[in-house]
């Protein structure tokens, strides 16, 4: 197999990781115990609306990645572990949060990484309880986990959370949990993923009959457009759920979404905020969607049985990372507190537009780490 990777790539990626560590340390020191979400003019602290409380895991999540990469027994490993635990423990109480659709985002980035590192049973119990809580959102009529906005609403983002229910099912042998998770994935596949691999952000159902009514959106341009971050969540989420369930339909869906991404993203791999954005907003990129997509492409690429296609995915992921490192780091702007510039949270609400966003930082760091481990 042709090897496209050069030493310059390794250096570029390692340098970006060092910069990421420096920025995270800066926030810990300047704003102790503060959980960043999105910047305003490059600063994390402001009084902007959160819209939903789904992001506190990403900051400690990066610390767990730095911890695992550090040499065992080193001062660096001790530092990152101490900080990661300090920022992770306050999240435990969310394991019973029935209002949240986002327990996967919160717990995969934190307790799951902690559990993978130490194997402590009490950490697994936290994850199982969070998975059971999330399963409580399941609606038999319609067969989906409802979004936080209303009972008749299903979001594509939920594909990033449902893995936690598979985790709980696998650890406990609870067949009902597994059934809920599989049904949610299949409903999402049927109603939000289109024949060309593009995705809708939201689906609206009749809550009495469970009948699917229409595609809609909260953060994308229109109900019939393709919000790029939603597509990236689908690539990543369907791949994760395939890993837990071994259901090949879910991998095929992740692949269809990834193919749509590769066909429609800009030439340098960084997508517009919405693939069907009107001309006036077409230049607005979302680097967070690029970072999630890079991580997802590495993941899907590893799962595919066709090595040539797998190679295409990992080479594409590497190209995206290279572009993020070369063109979008906050490095040159000394006052910028984030790692990646050019992320988008919510265009319509004007929250975090062309700013750093904490999930973009987390998935960028995760993708850098994965790519470096694969090189
Ligand atoms: N709530 C997930 C997102 O904004 O992408």
């Amino acid at each position: 197999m042709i090897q496209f990777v050069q030493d310059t790539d390794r250096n570029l990626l390692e340098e970006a990781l060092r910069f990421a560590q420096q920025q995270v340390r800066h926030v810990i020191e300047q704003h102790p115990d503060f959980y960043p979400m999105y910047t305003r003019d490059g600063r994390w602290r402001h009084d902007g609306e959160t819209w939903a409380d789904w992001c506190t895991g990403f900051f400690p999540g990066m610390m767990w990645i730095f911890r695992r990469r550090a040499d065992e027994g080193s001062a660096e490993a001790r530092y990152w572990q101490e900080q990661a635990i300090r920022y992770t423990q306050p999240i435990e109480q969310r394991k019973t949060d029935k209002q949240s659709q986002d327990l996967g985002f919160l717990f995969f980035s934190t307790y799951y990484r902690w559990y993978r590192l130490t194997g402590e049973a009490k950490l697994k119990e936290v994850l199982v309880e969070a998975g059971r809580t999330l399963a409580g959102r399941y609606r038999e009529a319609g067969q989906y986990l409802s979004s936080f906005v209303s009972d008749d609403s299903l979001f594509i983002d939920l594909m990033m959370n449902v893995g936690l229910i598979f985790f709980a099912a696998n650890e406990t042998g609870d067949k009902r949990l597994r059934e809920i998770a599989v049904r949610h994935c299949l409903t999402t596949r049927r109603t939000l993923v289109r024949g060309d691999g593009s995705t809708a952000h939201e689906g609206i159902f009749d809550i009495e009959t469970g009948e699917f009514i229409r595609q809609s959106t909260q953060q994308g341009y229109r109900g019939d457009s393709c919000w790029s971050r939603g597509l990236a969540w689908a690539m990543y989420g369907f791949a994760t759920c395939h890993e837990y369930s071994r259901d090949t339909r879910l991998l095929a869906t992740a692949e269809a979404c990834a193919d749509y991404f590769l066909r429609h993203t800009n030439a340098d791999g960084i997508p517009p905020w919405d693939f069907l954005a009107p001309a006036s907003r077409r230049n607005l990129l979302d680097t967070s969607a690029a970072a999630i997509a890079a991580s997802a492409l590495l993941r899907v690429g590893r799962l595919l049985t066709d090595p040539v296609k797998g190679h295409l995915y990992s080479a594409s992921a590497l190209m995206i990372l290279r572009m993020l490192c070369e063109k979008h780091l906050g490095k040159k702007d000394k006052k910028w507190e984030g790692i990646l510039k050019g992320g988008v949270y919510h265009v319509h609400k004007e929250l975090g537009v062309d700013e750093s966003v904490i999930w973009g930082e987390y998935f960028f760091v995760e993708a850098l780490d994965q790519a470096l481990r694969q090189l």
Side-chain angles (χ1 to χ4, degrees):
M1 189 77 77
I2 301 169
Q3 178 59 273
F4 295 107
V5 174
Q6 300 162 349
D7 279 350
T8 47
D9 284 323
R10 177 173 284 286
N11 295 341
L12 193 69
L13 270 45
E14 281 175 347
E15 183 56 37
L17 263 182
R18 276 193 291 277
F19 175 62
Q21 293 192 11
Q22 180 190 312
Q23 294 299 78
V24 171
R25 266 186 197 257
H26 173 87
V27 178
I28 294 172
E29 283 158 19
Q30 295 302 309
H31 315 289
D33 298 311
F34 171 71
Y35 291 81
M37 187 175 190
Y38 62 90
T39 60
R40 200 182 257 175
D41 298 325
R43 317 290 293 178
W44 289 116
R45 259 188 195 275
H46 50 77
D47 57 6
E49 190 195 330
T50 55
W51 190 45
D53 183 4
W54 62 287
C55 289
T56 45
F58 298 127
F59 192 50
M62 286 189 278
M63 301 175 202
W64 284 115
I65 295 171
F66 301 149
R67 158 64 186 94
R68 203 196 32 71
R69 289 187 65 80
D71 290 335
E72 213 48 54
S74 64
E76 200 192 349
R78 276 197 299 282
Y79 172 78
W80 287 120
Q81 180 146 341
E82 222 172 83
Q83 298 303 329
I85 291 175
R86 167 175 152 206
Y87 282 82
T88 291
Q89 278 173 332
I91 294 172
E92 181 177 345
Q93 35 113 5
R94 300 287 303 276
K95 69 188 177 188
T96 53
D97 182 353
K98 295 192 179 116
Q99 305 309 316
S100 177
Q101 64 169 43
D102 295 311
L103 299 183
F105 282 126
L106 295 172
F107 286 90
F108 274 128
S109 50
T110 53
Y111 274 85
Y112 181 72
R113 289 191 178 277
W114 190 359
Y115 173 58
R116 288 291 299 268
L117 190 74
T118 65
E120 285 171 74
K122 65 174 194 229
L123 303 174
K124 184 169 79 180
E125 281 159 25
V126 171
L127 291 162
V128 168
E129 192 168 354
R132 284 197 188 283
T133 303
L134 184 63
R137 302 191 74 79
Y138 185 68
R139 301 191 61 84
E140 195 59 57
Q143 307 199 330
Y144 61 93
L145 303 164
S146 61
S147 85
F148 78 97
V149 297
S150 56
D151 290 347
D152 63 354
S153 156
L154 158 69
F155 278 7
I156 195 74
D157 329 17
L158 272 146
M159 283 308 303
M160 293 296 286
N161 296 305
V162 67
L164 199 58
I165 303 180
F166 277 117
F167 176 87
N170 290 353
E171 293 302 328
T172 58
D174 185 332
K175 290 199 175 63
R176 176 70 186 147
L177 285 178
R178 187 187 160 90
E179 202 175 292
I180 286 173
V182 170
R183 286 190 181 168
H184 174 86
C185 292
L186 295 180
T187 301
T188 306
R189 178 178 183 262
R190 179 173 59 80
T191 59
L192 299 190
V193 183
R194 307 186 186 108
D196 62 357
S198 68
T199 50
H201 181 192
E202 186 180 25
I204 304 294
F205 292 74
D206 180 317
I207 48 170
E208 301 303 328
T209 63
E211 191 180 341
F212 174 66
I213 299 174
R214 66 186 160 87
Q215 295 183 342
S216 175
T217 195
Q218 297 282 332
Q219 284 152 282
Y221 172 49
R222 285 193 323 221
D224 63 346
S225 73
C226 182
W227 174 50
S228 62
R229 191 160 72 253
L231 181 73
W233 291 143
M235 290 159 62
Y236 194 119
F238 277 103
T240 305
C241 291
H242 163 74
E243 283 183 286
Y244 279 119
S245 64
R246 294 286 144 202
D247 186 325
T248 51
R249 292 172 293 184
L250 306 186
L251 181 57
T253 306
E255 192 181 346
C257 295
D259 288 349
Y260 183 93
F261 182 92
L262 292 177
R263 272 195 213 104
H264 292 86
T265 193
N266 291 324
D268 64 0
I270 315 301
W273 136 77
D274 189 299
F275 287 106
L276 290 184
S280 60
R281 305 302 310 253
R282 174 74 203 179
N283 289 339
L284 180 63
L285 304 174
D286 182 2
T287 55
S288 78
I292 299 155
S295 194
L297 285 166
L298 291 170
R299 192 173 274 253
V300 184
R302 280 197 303 271
L303 296 169
L304 294 180
T305 47
D306 175 354
V308 176
K309 191 149 192 207
H311 190 62
L312 167 72
Y313 281 17
S314 50
S316 303
L318 196 60
M319 190 188 99
I320 294 171
L321 290 176
R322 199 183 293 135
M323 287 302 129
L324 290 174
C325 293
E326 284 175 355
K327 300 205 304 209
H328 298 280
L329 291 186
K331 244 179 180 172
K332 285 196 193 120
D333 188 341
K334 293 290 167 222
K335 292 218 170 89
W336 199 271
E337 290 183 322
I339 301 162
L340 262 190
K341 286 184 159 185
V344 173
Y345 182 19
H346 201 310
V347 168
H348 310 299
K349 287 180 176 283
E350 296 182 9
L351 306 176
V353 178
D354 197 13
E355 293 284 346
S356 290
V357 292
I358 197 67
W359 54 93
E361 318 276 79
Y362 171 78
F363 286 99
F364 179 53
V365 165
E366 181 185 80
L368 290 172
D369 174 52
Q370 277 192 74
L372 283 166
R373 285 204 271 160
Q374 262 175 243
L375 290 186

